[in-house]
Amino acid sequence: MKEILEKLGIAGEQQGAGTGSSRMECDGEILESVSPVNGQVIGKIRCARKGDYGQIVESSMRAFREWRMVPAPRRGEIVRQIGNALRARKKNLGELVSLEVGKIRVEGEGEVQEMIDIADFAVGQSRMLYGLTMHSERSEHRMYEQWHPMGPIGVITAFNFPVAVWAWNAMVGLIAGDTIVWKPSSKAPLAAIATMKIAWQVLKENGLPEGILSLVVGNRDQIGEPMIRDRRIPLISATGSVRMGKRIGEVVGERLGRTILELGGNNAIIVTRDADLDMAVRAIVFGAVGTAGQRCTTTRRIIVHEDVCDTLTDRLVKAYKQVKIGNPLEEDILMGPLIDREAVETMQAALKEIQNQQGRVLCGGEVLSGGIYDAGTYVRPCICEIGPHAPIVREETFAPILYIIRYKTPEDAIKYHNDVPQGLSSAIFTKDIQEAETFLSHRGSDCGIANVNIGTSGAEIGGAFGGEKETGGGRESGSDAWKAYMRRQTCTINWSKEMPLAQGIRFEVD
């Protein structure tokens, strides 16, 4: 642990606010980063307070006035260098992610790879910030639209993707000409600090001003609320719970600011009668067990045709019994710990409620003990069978609990699938083209992501990521998500010697 921290330059007490390479001195409370792997304190962070936050935003505003005038392809070149710097530190940074949030090694390094991938994507996008030209109804007029940088952007991230989600926003925001103020999860501050130190060094080497990328670690009262109320920040991009998202949407909406909200997921896979069960089992196990069930895209519900339900269930139970649980930095481990003991307690409460609602626990769910398990954060992933209308099925328990739900008709399957408040990721396993196309049609999945013969988890950065309903409606990462980080401007140029009005209106004065 000490070696990892030293290699990343974050050994010793860290400051919870920064705008670049120069050191800020915070005077807030001490936040301890506790590893769910073994319950040990990894490091200590001196949190920021309101005054520190104010300095951060002022610096970000000053930097924005300079950064927005840098040509977009040049901004892309800076992002390219940041991606390369992350690439060089992938192993160490991935290990830190594993230590701080409990992801297995390959997932920790995979998260860093997501940062690298979105940097590569953003470099290309920096030369493609396209607007449209439109034909004017007035003679000798030209109309077009263009996109301008928006301003300092606030990014609030959750513990389960402590660095990748920041990068989805920051890399695209940077090429758009914005500056970024990042409030990371208080459960994963060290990974954020390490990431920022890597990026700050790139900015420094290029002679760029401090404040282009900023970090502020602190609690809701001192940092969170001031940030979402701050009229100087035109856009807040937030990942977290539905309750948190509703609060942010309300406060930012009251000041007519913009939001990108990535909230709850209650993702389902429909397994049809003729599905390839070999493929389905592999996708389900990774989707439900990966990151210990703590992804927003985690597979939580399996809606399976009654003719193959018993066969699929037996295969899943067998596969679950083969999942190795333990120290996520060990090579053969497939599932690490939950983020903390509170998450374990939430899971155990959900299992009791499942039984109260006539559900059956088919396997797993136990809290593990002995050796490294004494951290109190390790559980066995759980499979339950339950009815489609049980109230708990409509909730998202952020833990490795998988519901098996039987269906008879394709119409029932889609009805059960859509009958939850959340709408992030979805999938169907089928060899029937009509079933597949129905699932992707207007009357099919109501989620922001819909897949055929792949699971709900593991979205690529090239597509826009986000969901509908209580998932928040936001979109990040690829496709045209860059537009959310810029302001659109419609321009009309009159190159005639006349002054015609639109819609043929005549308004003459002497």
Side-chain angles (χ1 to χ4, degrees), residues 26 68 155 163 170 370 505:
C26 299
R68 66 183 174 181
V155 178
V163 293
I505 295 173

Side-chain angles (χ1 to χ4, degrees), residues 115-154:
M115 292 200 288
I116 297 165
D117 290 345
I118 194 63
D120 289 346
F121 178 93
V123 173
Q125 191 68 67
S126 70
R127 294 180 181 270
M128 297 185 294
L129 303 178
Y130 298 143
L132 299 174
T133 60
M134 290 78 75
H135 287 269
S136 173
E137 67 186 50
R138 292 169 284 187
S139 177
E140 298 181 337
H141 283 58
R142 180 165 68 88
M143 289 180 63
Y144 71 97
E145 68 177 20
Q146 60 182 348
W147 296 83
H148 291 303
M150 184 180 293
I153 304 303

Side-chain angles (χ1 to χ4, degrees), residues 301-501:
R301 297 175 294 140
I302 303 300
I303 301 166
V304 55
H305 194 279
E306 59 185 6
D307 288 355
V308 296
C309 185
D310 290 340
T311 300
L312 178 66
T313 300
D314 289 345
R315 294 187 63 174
L316 287 172
V317 169
K318 181 179 179 180
Y320 266 47
K321 290 178 179 179
Q322 298 174 29
V323 173
K324 293 185 178 181
I325 305 162
N327 186 331
L329 289 172
E330 295 180 6
E331 294 297 335
D332 61 342
I333 295 299
L334 295 180
M335 184 176 127
L338 298 188
I339 187 63
D340 53 28
R341 293 192 177 199
E342 182 181 352
V344 174
E345 292 170 1
T346 299
M347 178 180 177
Q348 296 308 302
L351 291 175
K352 291 180 181 178
E353 191 58 35
I354 287 167
Q355 296 177 30
N356 292 339
Q357 296 179 21
Q358 287 71 57
R360 292 191 303 127
V361 176
L362 304 180
C363 73
E366 305 92 345
V367 180
L368 302 178
S369 60
I372 194 171
Y373 298 152
D374 284 339
T377 52
Y378 292 86
V379 299
R380 293 198 186 279
C382 181
I383 300 175
C384 304
E385 184 168 3
I386 198 166
H389 305 300
I392 197 167
V393 172
R394 294 171 53 82
E395 300 175 8
E396 181 192 30
T397 301
F398 220 56
I401 299 175
L402 181 67
Y403 299 117
I404 303 291
I405 300 168
R406 297 173 185 256
Y407 80 89
K408 292 184 178 181
T409 69
E411 292 76 18
D412 284 342
I414 290 178
K415 178 182 178 182
Y416 298 160
H417 177 280
N418 292 346
D419 190 27
V420 295
Q422 309 85 358
L424 179 52
S425 188
S426 61
I428 187 170
F429 277 79
T430 182
K431 297 175 185 175
D432 187 317
I433 191 171
Q434 288 186 327
E435 288 183 323
E437 290 293 341
T438 298
F439 182 74
L440 299 175
S441 74
H442 306 317
R443 68 172 186 265
S445 168
D446 62 359
C447 294
I449 299 169
N451 299 327
V452 175
N453 293 330
I454 60 172
T456 62
S457 194
E460 297 182 31
I461 58 92
F465 180 89
E468 302 300 323
K469 302 189 291 187
E470 287 193 355
T471 301
R475 293 297 186 274
E476 297 169 331
S477 193
S479 185
D480 66 347
W482 62 269
K483 294 180 178 179
Y485 302 86
M486 304 193 78
R487 58 182 179 89
R488 186 197 304 249
Q489 187 176 75
T490 301
C491 306
T492 305
I493 301 170
N494 177 4
W495 52 279
S496 74
K497 295 184 178 180
E498 305 297 328
M499 184 55 67
L501 301 178

Side-chain angles (χ1 to χ4, degrees), residues 34-97:
V34 178
S35 174
V37 176
N38 52 21
Q40 294 181 9
V41 175
I42 307 174
K44 297 181 179 181
I45 300 91
R46 178 70 65 177
C47 288
R49 296 173 63 85
K50 287 181 182 179
D52 303 311
Y53 168 77
Q55 293 181 49
I56 290 285
V57 177
E58 286 297 326
S59 177
S60 187
M61 290 179 65
R62 288 194 300 270
F64 172 69
R65 288 191 282 271
E66 183 173 336
W67 180 244
R68 66 183 174 181
M69 299 308 296
V70 174
R74 172 60 181 161
R75 299 194 294 255
E77 165 59 18
I78 300 302
V79 168
R80 185 189 69 81
Q81 293 180 35
I82 293 174
N84 284 342
L86 292 169
R87 186 178 279 110
R89 311 304 292 274
K90 176 180 174 179
K91 183 177 184 297
N92 293 333
L93 195 51
E95 287 176 334
L96 178 58
V97 169

Side-chain angles (χ1 to χ4, degrees), residues 56-306:
I56 290 285
V57 177
E58 286 297 326
S59 177
S60 187
M61 290 179 65
R62 288 194 300 270
F64 172 69
R65 288 191 282 271
E66 183 173 336
W67 180 244
R68 66 183 174 181
M69 299 308 296
V70 174
R74 172 60 181 161
R75 299 194 294 255
E77 165 59 18
I78 300 302
V79 168
R80 185 189 69 81
Q81 293 180 35
I82 293 174
N84 284 342
L86 292 169
R87 186 178 279 110
R89 311 304 292 274
K90 176 180 174 179
K91 183 177 184 297
N92 293 333
L93 195 51
E95 287 176 334
L96 178 58
V97 169
S98 294
L99 275 174
E100 194 163 38
V101 302
K103 289 188 175 185
I104 61 174
R105 181 186 294 273
V106 292
E107 288 190 289
E109 291 187 15
E111 179 162 353
V112 181
Q113 186 63 48
E114 283 195 52
M115 292 200 288
I116 297 165
D117 290 345
I118 194 63
D120 289 346
F121 178 93
V123 173
Q125 191 68 67
S126 70
R127 294 180 181 270
M128 297 185 294
L129 303 178
Y130 298 143
L132 299 174
T133 60
M134 290 78 75
H135 287 269
S136 173
E137 67 186 50
R138 292 169 284 187
S139 177
E140 298 181 337
H141 283 58
R142 180 165 68 88
M143 289 180 63
Y144 71 97
E145 68 177 20
Q146 60 182 348
W147 296 83
H148 291 303
M150 184 180 293
I153 304 303
V155 178
I156 301 171
T157 57
F159 76 85
N160 59 330
F161 278 86
V163 293
V165 171
W166 166 79
W168 290 0
N169 289 274
M171 300 303 129
V172 176
L174 286 177
I175 61 99
D178 301 327
T179 53
I180 311 297
V181 180
W182 182 13
K183 181 188 181 300
S185 168
S186 294
K187 296 181 180 181
L190 286 177
I193 293 170
T195 299
M196 290 300 284
K197 287 193 173 185
I198 293 169
W200 284 337
Q201 184 61 31
V202 172
L203 297 176
K204 181 180 180 180
E205 290 171 356
N206 283 272
L208 291 166
E210 296 206 353
I212 291 176
L213 292 174
S214 302
L215 178 77
V216 56
V217 178
N219 63 32
R220 171 181 169 176
D221 291 339
Q222 294 292 324
I223 306 301
E225 284 291 320
M227 176 182 281
I228 64 177
R229 293 181 180 278
D230 197 335
R231 295 181 180 274
R232 297 170 296 179
I233 298 181
L235 171 67
I236 297 287
S237 178
T239 301
S241 69
V242 173
R243 184 176 68 174
M244 181 199 79
K246 288 182 176 179
R247 172 63 180 172
I248 292 173
E250 177 186 9
V251 174
V252 178
E254 189 276 333
R255 63 176 173 86
L256 299 181
R258 303 185 196 179
T259 55
I260 299 173
L261 299 176
E262 301 288 357
L263 311 175
N266 192 354
N267 315 294
I269 295 177
I270 296 174
V271 181
T272 68
R273 180 163 43 191
D274 70 344
D276 184 324
L277 295 187
D278 290 337
M279 292 176 61
V281 167
R282 291 198 299 272
I284 292 166
V285 174
F286 173 72
V289 175
T291 321
Q294 298 171 118
R295 287 175 177 245
C296 52
T297 55
T298 289
T299 304
R300 307 205 179 277
R301 297 175 294 140
I302 303 300
I303 301 166
V304 55
H305 194 279
E306 59 185 6

